[in-house]
Every structure is written in C-alpha cells, then in structure tokens.
Amino acid sequence: MTESFHRSGEYENPYEGQQQAPVNPEWPPPPAYAPAPAPKKRNRGPVALLAAVAIVAAAIGGGTAYGIQELTANDTVASSSTSTNVVPSAQKGTVAGVAKAVSPSIVEISADSGAGSATGSGVIITSGGEVVTNNHVVSGASQIKVTTSDGKSYSAKVVGTDSKKDLALIKLENASGLKAATLGDSSGVQVGDQVVAIGSPEGLSGTVTSGIVSALDRDVTVPTDEDQSQQPRQGDGWPFEFGGRQFNGDTGSDTTTYKALQTDASLNPGNSGGALIDMNGNIIGINSAMYSPAGTASSSSDAGSVGLGFAIPVNTVKADLAKLRAGATD
C-alpha cells in the first residue's frame, strides 16, 4: 500500500474505498517535498575580478599604491628607505654594473653668468627632467645647458635653491622619458663601503671613478648664495673650508657648514653635483667638494684629486626636496 507523509506526521491511505492500481515494489516512494532548485552559478565577471584586485591591493598596502604611482606619474621620485638592487643581478657589486645602470641618470651642466662659466654635474630624479645639483654650480646663472648621457642637450631653469645645504633643483625644458636615478638611504652608509662616483670632471662627461667611504659626518664649510655669485667661475674651483683650512679661494664671511660623506673616489673639477653611488646602484650622496693641495692659491688649475672628496648625504637631499620644489631661493 502506497503511503504519503502528512505534515501532522500521520499516515493515511489516499485510495481508501477505491480500486487500487497494482504497485511495483521496485518503484521508489515520491519525495515528501519538491526538490530544491539547483543553485545558479555566480557571475565572476569584471565586477568580481575588480573586487578581488581591490582586496589584494589593500592587503599589499603602500607598496602597490607606490607602484601604480610610479607607472602613471611623470614627477615621482624613485626613493628607497633600504638599498634596492638597481644593478642587474649578473653584475651586482661591480663597478661596471653600477656604471651601466646609473650613467643614464647623470648629466653634465654648463652654467653661464656675469662672473663667467661653470661646468658641473647633476642627477636626474624624475623622468620629466627634474635634476638635483649643487647650488654653487648654478648660482647666479643666466643660462643653463644640460647634456644627457646620450648626447641630447636641453635648456634648463632653476626651480629652487638652498645655499645653506649647497643644493639646487633645476628642470629641463621639454624633456620626457628620462631615466631617473633611485635615491637610497645614507643613514645606512658605513666607513669602508665601496662606492662609485659619476660626473663630468673637466667637461669629460660620464667619467666613472670608484673608491670607498673613508669617513662620515665631516664638517664642510661653504659660502652662501650671496658670496657664491661673486666668485670667479673657473671650472669647479669653488671655495670651501675643511679642517680649519680654506681651499680654492676665500669662502668669505657668510658661510654655512654641513655634514658630509668623505670618499677617496677621485673627484675633480666638474664632479660637483654628480652622484656618489653604492654598489647596488642607489644614490647615497651628491658630490660637492674636493680637497686640493693647492691650499689657498687663487689659481685652481693646479688643483687635482688626492683621494679626499666630500658628498652631501642623500637623506639631506630628500629632506630638502619639497622646499626646493616649492621654489626656495635661500
């Protein structure tokens, strides 16, 4: 006898009093309730994909945001709080590897003023043509010409200067797609670290020298902007004071002192504003002064590298960059 299940839990014979059809014992009884419909497949189209990407981006955090900014912005500075590997792994730790990776980011600067002409170097920090150099390279300049490593020439304008740190920011006109250097972290630099210097000594652009960091926190005294613009501009013979002695002329009465990295990498006239680089290809300093046995002699033609140069730590540059971009001229 076929039975159906009532909600009350009682059983009854629905064919009571009627002639019943034969029952096949192999047939299964009907279900108590209608089967639930099969669940529909969720749409995993663009909306779902975007949601997944958003979750991943949120998990990664600032690194993803910085990467996107790097891909879309033309004025973003590549900077690292740790040493990143700019040099390909096959050439990591070699002078040749550093030179190949960083040389496209170093420029030669020619600055003309009423006091004469000066040749120096600079470091490209954005693909749109922002270049960091020494203030004394461009101080008082009426015309600035910049030549990149591939031989292209650009006119440039001063964006901002900071004479107290001997730093300047210039901007190349109608420039794009330039290779920006990576600004490293000078707080981690140690005495004995190997370094590479790239610049344009005596107008020989792209010259590479190497050495070590020979001391930290050296007090280097330089003239401020008012005095710098009055100095004869013969090559890189700009005056500075170190260890109680003056070199390349008189620093004058209006001076400022900053803490510098000391290096035995060869620096010569024209290296000012160029890069001091660690062996991973990160900029750790801006070359700014060189010791010369010429002492206080007025002629800088006798000056030459004796393995005692000085660089402004890159952390000083990074801390000063917003001020320079804002057009500071002090």
Side-chain angles (χ1 to χ4, degrees):
M1 179 174 64
T2 303
E3 295 179 337
S4 64
F5 180 68
H6 272 228
R7 293 182 182 176
S8 62
E10 299 176 353
Y11 290 84
E12 69 174 8
N13 183 358
Y15 300 103
E16 187 175 352
Q18 301 180 16
Q19 186 176 357
Q20 299 181 23
V23 177
N24 188 332
E26 296 181 0
W27 293 349
Y33 300 100
K40 295 181 179 179
K41 292 184 178 181
R42 296 183 64 183
N43 183 4
R44 298 187 62 83
V47 174
L49 180 60
L50 288 175
V53 171
I55 293 173
V56 173
I60 296 176
T64 299
Y66 182 80
I68 293 174
Q69 187 180 29
E70 279 292 282
L71 291 173
T72 58
N74 196 41
D75 60 351
T76 302
V77 178
S79 177
S80 175
S81 59
T82 58
S83 183
T84 58
N85 292 325
V86 179
V87 180
S89 57
Q91 293 183 302
K92 183 179 178 181
T94 66
V95 174
V98 173
K100 183 177 181 179
V102 184
S103 287
S105 302
I106 311 303
V107 300
E108 178 182 322
I109 299 175
S110 298
D112 296 328
S113 71
S117 61
T119 299
S121 307
V123 179
I124 300 171
I125 61 170
T126 65
S127 62
E130 286 184 320
V131 172
V132 168
T133 186
N134 286 139
N135 182 47
H136 75 262
V137 172
V138 297
S139 176
S142 57
Q143 183 177 349
I144 302 173
K145 177 184 175 183
V146 174
T147 304
T148 54
S149 64
D150 58 4
K152 294 182 179 179
S153 295
Y154 299 86
S155 295
K157 299 293 185 184
V158 174
V159 176
T161 62
D162 187 344
S163 61
K164 292 180 175 57
K165 296 182 176 65
D166 194 20
L167 290 172
L169 180 68
I170 64 176
K171 181 70 163 34
L172 278 57
E173 297 179 345
N174 303 316
S176 63
L178 302 179
K179 184 175 182 181
T182 299
L183 305 184
D185 181 8
S186 53
S187 67
V189 174
Q190 300 181 37
V191 173
D193 283 350
Q194 290 184 294
V195 290
V196 173
I198 304 179
S200 300
E202 303 293 355
L204 300 174
S205 61
T207 295
V208 177
T209 58
S210 64
I212 63 169
V213 173
S214 50
L216 304 174
D217 298 326
R218 292 298 199 197
D219 289 332
V220 175
T221 299
V222 299
T224 54
D225 190 50
E226 291 78 12
D227 287 329
Q228 288 179 35
S229 62
Q230 303 302 318
Q231 294 294 331
R233 305 175 73 84
Q234 299 175 354
D236 195 37
W238 102 282
F240 73 97
E241 181 180 328
F242 169 69
R245 299 175 62 192
Q246 293 187 347
F247 304 92
N248 303 331
D250 186 3
T251 56
S253 58
D254 193 357
T255 62
T256 185
T257 302
Y258 60 83
K259 300 289 186 179
L261 301 175
Q262 180 181 308
T263 179
D264 70 350
S266 180
L267 301 180
N268 288 285
N271 271 113
S272 281
L276 190 67
I277 313 156
D278 68 18
M279 299 309 290
N280 287 324
N282 301 278
I283 309 300
I284 58 169
I286 300 297
N287 299 321
S288 58
M290 53 166 281
Y291 172 87
S292 170
T296 58
S298 59
S299 173
S300 63
S301 60
D302 296 330
S305 174
V306 292
L308 197 58
F310 304 96
I312 301 167
V314 75
N315 284 7
T316 300
V317 178
K318 293 193 289 187
D320 209 33
L321 189 54
K323 178 180 178 181
L324 295 173
R325 279 179 158 174
T329 55
D330 61 348

